[in-house]
Amino acid sequence: MTIPIAEEQLKFITNIQRILDEGAFVATYKFALIMAIADYAVKKGDDTGAPLQLTTRDIAESFAEYYWRQAVPYANGNLPAAVRVLKQGTGMQPVVLRRIMELHGLFNGSLSAARKDARAWGALLNKVAATIAKMPLWKLQVVGRRVVPFLYAQHGSGNIINLQPGVVYNFRRFYDLIRNFVQGAWIRHVRILNVNLLGETDLAEFLFGAERTLFPGLRTILKSVQSDTCFYCKSKLHEGGDIDHFVPWSRYPLDLGHNFVLAHSACNRSKRDFLAAPSHLENWQKRNQLHGRTLGQEFDACCILHNQEATEKITFWAYSQAETAGSNLWLRKDDVTPIDESWRLLLR
Ligand SMILES: [Zn+2]
Protein backbone atom coordinates (compact mmCIF):
# COMPACT_ATOMS: atom_id res chain seq x y z
CA MET A 1 0.00 0.00 0.00
CA THR A 2 1.16 3.50 -0.65
CA ILE A 3 0.25 6.51 1.39
CA PRO A 4 -1.73 9.26 -0.33
CA ILE A 5 0.28 12.02 -2.01
CA ALA A 6 -0.05 15.61 -0.81
CA GLU A 7 -2.61 16.48 -3.45
CA GLU A 8 -4.83 13.57 -2.42
CA GLN A 9 -4.54 14.56 1.21
CA LEU A 10 -5.68 18.08 0.38
CA LYS A 11 -8.58 16.71 -1.64
CA PHE A 12 -9.62 14.61 1.35
CA ILE A 13 -9.68 17.63 3.67
CA THR A 14 -11.59 19.66 1.07
CA ASN A 15 -14.19 16.90 0.78
CA ILE A 16 -14.64 16.73 4.56
CA GLN A 17 -15.17 20.47 4.50
CA ARG A 18 -17.68 20.19 1.68
CA ILE A 19 -19.69 17.61 3.62
CA LEU A 20 -19.78 19.95 6.61
CA ASP A 21 -20.55 23.10 4.62
CA GLU A 22 -22.89 21.80 1.95
CA GLY A 23 -24.34 18.52 3.26
CA ALA A 24 -27.88 18.51 4.62
CA PHE A 25 -28.05 18.05 8.38
CA VAL A 26 -31.43 17.25 9.88
CA ALA A 27 -30.00 15.78 13.05
CA THR A 28 -26.40 15.91 14.27
CA TYR A 29 -25.80 12.23 13.43
CA LYS A 30 -23.45 12.97 10.55
CA PHE A 31 -21.06 14.81 12.85
CA ALA A 32 -20.99 11.91 15.28
CA LEU A 33 -20.51 9.51 12.37
CA ILE A 34 -17.46 11.32 10.97
CA MET A 35 -15.88 11.43 14.43
CA ALA A 36 -16.70 7.79 15.15
CA ILE A 37 -15.03 6.71 11.89
CA ALA A 38 -12.01 8.92 12.67
CA ASP A 39 -11.75 7.38 16.15
CA TYR A 40 -11.92 3.89 14.70
CA ALA A 41 -9.14 4.74 12.23
CA VAL A 42 -6.94 5.89 15.12
CA LYS A 43 -7.70 2.88 17.31
CA LYS A 44 -7.70 0.09 14.73
CA GLY A 45 -5.98 1.41 11.63
CA ASP A 46 -2.34 1.99 10.71
CA ASP A 47 -0.30 4.38 8.60
CA THR A 48 0.29 2.14 5.59
CA GLY A 49 -2.49 3.63 3.48
CA ALA A 50 -4.37 0.32 3.55
CA PRO A 51 -8.18 0.09 3.29
CA LEU A 52 -10.21 -0.99 6.30
CA GLN A 53 -13.52 -2.78 6.57
CA LEU A 54 -15.85 -1.86 9.38
CA THR A 55 -19.41 -2.42 10.46
CA THR A 56 -21.89 -0.02 11.99
CA ARG A 57 -21.47 -1.97 15.21
CA ASP A 58 -17.73 -1.19 15.15
CA ILE A 59 -18.43 2.52 15.27
CA ALA A 60 -21.56 2.43 17.43
CA GLU A 61 -19.60 2.58 20.67
CA SER A 62 -17.75 5.77 19.86
CA PHE A 63 -20.93 7.23 18.33
CA ALA A 64 -22.83 6.55 21.55
CA GLU A 65 -20.05 8.04 23.67
CA TYR A 66 -20.28 11.38 21.91
CA TYR A 67 -23.96 11.59 22.76
CA TRP A 68 -23.53 10.22 26.25
CA ARG A 69 -21.81 13.33 27.49
CA GLN A 70 -24.26 15.55 25.64
CA ALA A 71 -27.35 13.91 27.13
CA VAL A 72 -26.80 15.71 30.43
CA PRO A 73 -29.27 18.59 31.04
CA TYR A 74 -27.64 21.76 29.76
CA ALA A 75 -29.65 24.63 31.15
CA ASN A 76 -30.41 25.24 34.79
CA GLY A 77 -33.82 26.26 35.95
CA ASN A 78 -37.14 24.73 36.74
CA LEU A 79 -37.82 23.02 33.44
CA PRO A 80 -38.00 19.20 33.49
CA ALA A 81 -34.63 17.53 32.82
CA ALA A 82 -35.73 16.08 29.46
CA VAL A 83 -36.48 19.57 28.16
CA ARG A 84 -33.15 20.90 29.36
CA VAL A 85 -31.15 18.47 27.25
CA LEU A 86 -29.91 20.23 24.13
CA LYS A 87 -31.90 19.41 21.02
CA GLN A 88 -29.89 17.55 18.40
CA GLY A 89 -32.46 17.59 15.63
CA THR A 90 -35.48 19.44 14.35
CA GLY A 91 -38.72 18.14 15.83
CA MET A 92 -38.48 15.26 18.23
CA GLN A 93 -35.16 14.43 19.90
CA PRO A 94 -33.31 11.86 17.68
CA VAL A 95 -33.84 8.26 18.77
CA VAL A 96 -30.22 7.60 19.78
CA LEU A 97 -30.30 10.52 22.17
CA ARG A 98 -33.63 9.42 23.63
CA ARG A 99 -32.28 5.93 24.31
CA ILE A 100 -29.17 7.36 25.89
CA MET A 101 -31.22 9.67 28.09
CA GLU A 102 -33.12 6.63 29.35
CA LEU A 103 -29.85 4.90 30.22
CA HIS A 104 -28.60 8.07 31.90
CA GLY A 105 -31.61 7.82 34.19
CA LEU A 106 -31.07 4.12 34.88
CA PHE A 107 -27.36 4.42 35.64
CA ASN A 108 -27.26 7.84 37.26
CA GLY A 109 -25.29 9.27 34.38
CA SER A 110 -22.37 6.86 34.83
CA LEU A 111 -21.04 5.69 31.48
CA SER A 112 -18.87 2.99 33.00
CA ALA A 113 -21.78 1.62 35.05
CA ALA A 114 -23.94 1.52 31.92
CA ARG A 115 -21.21 -0.28 29.99
CA LYS A 116 -20.81 -2.85 32.70
CA ASP A 117 -24.42 -3.86 32.23
CA ALA A 118 -23.76 -5.98 29.14
CA ARG A 119 -27.43 -6.39 28.31
CA ALA A 120 -28.44 -2.74 28.53
CA TRP A 121 -25.28 -1.51 26.81
CA GLY A 122 -25.50 -4.18 24.10
CA ALA A 123 -29.11 -3.26 23.40
CA LEU A 124 -28.12 0.39 23.08
CA LEU A 125 -25.27 -0.42 20.67
CA ASN A 126 -27.58 -2.56 18.54
CA LYS A 127 -30.03 0.29 18.32
CA VAL A 128 -27.27 2.79 17.55
CA ALA A 129 -25.78 0.51 14.87
CA ALA A 130 -29.19 0.03 13.23
CA THR A 131 -29.81 3.76 13.30
CA ILE A 132 -26.42 4.51 11.73
CA ALA A 133 -27.19 2.09 8.88
CA LYS A 134 -30.62 3.59 8.34
CA MET A 135 -29.88 7.27 8.75
CA PRO A 136 -26.47 8.90 8.32
CA LEU A 137 -24.27 6.18 6.80
CA TRP A 138 -25.62 6.40 3.28
CA LYS A 139 -26.37 10.11 3.42
CA LEU A 140 -23.01 11.29 4.67
CA GLN A 141 -21.41 11.44 1.23
CA VAL A 142 -24.35 13.15 -0.45
CA VAL A 143 -23.45 16.75 -1.16
CA GLY A 144 -26.27 18.68 -2.79
CA ARG A 145 -27.67 16.17 -5.25
CA ARG A 146 -24.38 14.47 -5.93
CA VAL A 147 -22.76 11.55 -4.24
CA VAL A 148 -19.08 12.13 -3.46
CA PRO A 149 -17.94 8.64 -2.44
CA PHE A 150 -14.48 9.56 -1.21
CA LEU A 151 -14.64 7.64 2.08
CA TYR A 152 -16.29 4.36 1.04
CA ALA A 153 -18.25 2.89 -1.87
CA GLN A 154 -21.81 4.16 -1.77
CA HIS A 155 -23.94 0.97 -1.70
CA GLY A 156 -26.95 2.85 -0.39
CA SER A 157 -27.84 0.21 2.18
CA GLY A 158 -26.29 -2.35 4.49
CA ASN A 159 -24.18 -2.11 7.61
CA ILE A 160 -20.68 -2.72 6.27
CA ILE A 161 -18.37 -0.18 4.68
CA ASN A 162 -14.86 -0.45 3.27
CA LEU A 163 -12.81 2.65 3.90
CA GLN A 164 -10.90 3.23 0.68
CA PRO A 165 -7.12 3.13 0.48
CA GLY A 166 -5.66 6.29 2.00
CA VAL A 167 -8.77 7.18 4.03
CA VAL A 168 -7.52 5.65 7.29
CA TYR A 169 -4.15 7.28 6.73
CA ASN A 170 -5.79 10.68 6.24
CA PHE A 171 -8.05 10.36 9.28
CA ARG A 172 -5.01 9.51 11.41
CA ARG A 173 -2.83 12.22 9.91
CA PHE A 174 -5.45 14.98 10.18
CA TYR A 175 -7.37 13.83 13.24
CA ASP A 176 -6.91 17.17 15.07
CA LEU A 177 -7.89 19.26 12.11
CA ILE A 178 -10.95 17.15 11.35
CA ARG A 179 -12.02 17.16 14.97
CA ASN A 180 -11.84 20.96 15.01
CA PHE A 181 -13.84 21.23 11.78
CA VAL A 182 -16.51 18.81 12.95
CA GLN A 183 -16.83 20.24 16.44
CA GLY A 184 -17.14 23.75 15.05
CA ALA A 185 -19.89 22.67 12.67
CA TRP A 186 -21.61 20.62 15.37
CA ILE A 187 -21.60 23.57 17.78
CA ARG A 188 -23.02 25.92 15.15
CA HIS A 189 -25.77 23.42 14.40
CA VAL A 190 -26.71 22.88 18.06
CA ARG A 191 -26.71 26.63 18.62
CA ILE A 192 -29.32 27.11 15.89
CA LEU A 193 -31.48 24.30 17.26
CA ASN A 194 -31.41 25.60 20.84
CA VAL A 195 -31.56 29.37 20.77
CA ASN A 196 -34.05 29.40 23.64
CA LEU A 197 -31.85 27.34 25.97
CA LEU A 198 -28.46 28.89 25.47
CA GLY A 199 -27.16 30.77 28.44
CA GLU A 200 -23.93 31.53 30.10
CA THR A 201 -22.44 28.02 29.98
CA ASP A 202 -19.77 27.66 27.32
CA LEU A 203 -21.36 25.47 24.67
CA ALA A 204 -18.07 24.15 23.28
CA GLU A 205 -16.89 23.15 26.73
CA PHE A 206 -20.24 21.53 27.50
CA LEU A 207 -20.36 19.48 24.30
CA PHE A 208 -16.70 18.52 23.92
CA GLY A 209 -14.64 19.70 26.89
CA ALA A 210 -12.61 17.41 29.11
CA GLU A 211 -14.71 14.95 31.07
CA ARG A 212 -16.73 16.72 33.71
CA THR A 213 -17.20 13.62 35.77
CA LEU A 214 -14.68 13.40 38.54
CA PHE A 215 -13.36 9.96 39.14
CA PRO A 216 -13.69 9.20 42.80
CA GLY A 217 -10.94 6.85 43.81
CA LEU A 218 -8.64 7.61 40.89
CA ARG A 219 -6.42 9.95 42.89
CA THR A 220 -5.97 7.34 45.63
CA ILE A 221 -5.04 4.66 43.10
CA LEU A 222 -2.46 6.87 41.39
CA LYS A 223 -1.06 8.22 44.65
CA SER A 224 -0.41 4.70 45.79
CA VAL A 225 1.21 3.42 42.57
CA GLN A 226 3.40 6.57 42.41
CA SER A 227 4.30 6.40 46.12
CA ASP A 228 2.90 9.88 46.67
CA THR A 229 5.37 11.51 44.27
CA CYS A 230 4.80 13.60 41.15
CA PHE A 231 4.86 11.38 38.06
CA TYR A 232 7.09 13.83 36.20
CA CYS A 233 9.55 15.46 38.61
CA LYS A 234 9.52 12.66 41.22
CA SER A 235 9.47 14.97 44.22
CA LYS A 236 6.82 14.57 46.94
CA LEU A 237 3.34 15.70 46.10
CA HIS A 238 2.43 17.30 49.45
CA GLU A 239 -0.79 18.77 48.07
CA GLY A 240 -3.31 16.52 46.40
CA GLY A 241 -1.75 16.86 42.96
CA ASP A 242 -3.53 17.18 39.60
CA ILE A 243 -4.81 14.26 37.60
CA ASP A 244 -3.01 14.60 34.28
CA HIS A 245 -3.88 13.02 30.92
CA PHE A 246 -0.56 11.48 29.84
CA VAL A 247 -1.67 11.79 26.21
CA PRO A 248 -3.24 15.25 26.45
CA TRP A 249 -6.98 15.50 26.06
CA SER A 250 -6.52 18.14 23.36
CA ARG A 251 -4.78 15.57 21.15
CA TYR A 252 -7.26 12.79 21.72
CA PRO A 253 -10.15 12.62 24.19
CA LEU A 254 -8.71 9.62 25.99
CA ASP A 255 -10.36 9.12 29.36
CA LEU A 256 -9.23 5.53 29.89
CA GLY A 257 -7.63 4.66 33.24
CA HIS A 258 -4.10 3.87 32.08
CA ASN A 259 -3.81 7.31 30.49
CA PHE A 260 -3.90 9.04 33.87
CA VAL A 261 -0.97 10.07 36.04
CA LEU A 262 -0.78 12.27 39.13
CA ALA A 263 1.40 15.40 38.99
CA HIS A 264 2.08 18.70 40.75
CA SER A 265 -0.26 21.41 39.55
CA ALA A 266 2.79 23.35 38.37
CA CYS A 267 4.14 20.38 36.37
CA ASN A 268 0.70 19.69 34.94
CA ARG A 269 0.16 23.31 33.90
CA SER A 270 3.59 23.50 32.32
CA LYS A 271 3.06 20.30 30.33
CA ARG A 272 -0.29 21.58 28.96
CA ASP A 273 -0.92 20.10 25.51
CA PHE A 274 2.55 18.62 25.02
CA LEU A 275 3.34 14.96 24.77
CA ALA A 276 5.88 13.90 27.39
CA ALA A 277 9.57 13.34 26.61
CA PRO A 278 10.94 9.78 26.18
CA SER A 279 12.15 9.55 29.79
CA HIS A 280 8.55 10.06 30.98
CA LEU A 281 7.23 7.75 28.31
CA GLU A 282 9.60 5.06 29.52
CA ASN A 283 8.36 5.48 33.10
CA TRP A 284 4.78 5.36 31.94
CA GLN A 285 5.43 2.18 29.97
CA LYS A 286 7.18 0.60 32.95
CA ARG A 287 4.34 1.51 35.24
CA ASN A 288 1.83 -0.08 32.91
CA GLN A 289 3.96 -3.18 32.37
CA LEU A 290 4.49 -3.68 36.09
CA HIS A 291 1.15 -2.56 37.44
CA GLY A 292 -1.16 -2.49 34.41
CA ARG A 293 -3.25 -5.47 35.48
CA THR A 294 -3.54 -4.46 39.11
CA LEU A 295 -4.43 -0.96 38.03
CA GLY A 296 -7.11 -2.44 35.79
CA GLN A 297 -8.67 -4.27 38.73
CA GLU A 298 -8.58 -1.14 40.83
CA PHE A 299 -10.12 0.90 38.02
CA ASP A 300 -12.88 -1.69 37.78
CA ALA A 301 -13.62 -1.40 41.48
CA CYS A 302 -14.03 2.37 41.06
CA CYS A 303 -16.03 2.17 37.82
CA ILE A 304 -13.25 3.84 35.82
CA LEU A 305 -13.17 2.79 32.18
CA HIS A 306 -9.91 1.27 31.01
CA ASN A 307 -8.42 -0.60 28.10
CA GLN A 308 -4.67 -0.85 28.26
CA GLU A 309 -4.25 -2.09 24.70
CA ALA A 310 -6.36 0.71 23.21
CA THR A 311 -4.55 3.25 25.38
CA GLU A 312 -1.19 2.05 24.10
CA LYS A 313 -2.37 2.08 20.47
CA ILE A 314 -3.61 5.65 20.79
CA THR A 315 -0.36 6.65 22.49
CA PHE A 316 1.62 5.13 19.62
CA TRP A 317 -0.54 7.03 17.16
CA ALA A 318 -0.09 10.31 19.07
CA TYR A 319 3.72 10.02 19.10
CA SER A 320 3.92 9.00 15.45
CA GLN A 321 1.83 12.04 14.48
CA ALA A 322 4.04 14.27 16.62
CA GLU A 323 7.11 12.85 14.88
CA THR A 324 5.62 13.54 11.45
CA ALA A 325 4.87 17.09 12.55
CA GLY A 326 8.33 17.52 14.15
CA SER A 327 6.78 18.54 17.48
CA ASN A 328 8.54 19.32 20.73
CA LEU A 329 8.12 17.03 23.72
CA TRP A 330 7.77 18.26 27.28
CA LEU A 331 10.72 17.47 29.54
CA ARG A 332 10.19 19.62 32.65
CA LYS A 333 8.97 23.07 33.58
CA ASP A 334 10.05 25.52 30.85
CA ASP A 335 12.01 22.83 29.04
CA VAL A 336 11.03 21.00 25.87
CA THR A 337 13.01 18.81 23.52
CA PRO A 338 12.52 18.05 19.82
CA ILE A 339 11.05 14.61 19.12
CA ASP A 340 13.31 11.99 17.58
CA GLU A 341 12.84 8.30 16.88
CA SER A 342 13.69 7.10 20.38
CA TRP A 343 10.02 6.84 21.43
CA ARG A 344 9.61 3.99 18.95
CA LEU A 345 11.95 1.78 20.93
CA LEU A 346 9.78 2.31 23.99
CA LEU A 347 6.37 1.76 22.42
CA ARG A 348 6.14 -1.52 20.64
ZN1 LIG B 1 6.21 17.69 39.70
Side-chain angles (χ1 to χ4, degrees), residues 112-168:
S112 43
R115 281 169 110 166
K116 270 191 176 170
D117 188 322
R119 220 173 128 202
W121 189 248
L124 174 71
L125 293 189
N126 285 339
K127 183 69 192 170
V128 170
T131 306
I132 293 172
K134 197 171 132 221
M135 309 273 294
L137 191 62
W138 305 112
K139 296 192 179 121
L140 182 67
Q141 303 183 108
V142 179
V143 180
R145 289 189 181 170
R146 274 189 57 218
V147 175
V148 186
F150 71 108
L151 298 172
Y152 43 86
Q154 180 80 4
H155 301 309
S157 65
N159 60 357
I160 297 175
I161 55 171
N162 288 292
L163 295 179
Q164 291 169 7
V167 168
V168 169

Side-chain angles (χ1 to χ4, degrees), residues 230 233 264 267:
C230 171
C233 72
H264 289 120
C267 290

Side-chain angles (χ1 to χ4, degrees), residues 173 320-327 339:
R173 175 89 174 75
S320 61
Q321 295 307 312
E323 190 185 343
T324 310
S327 308
I339 191 168

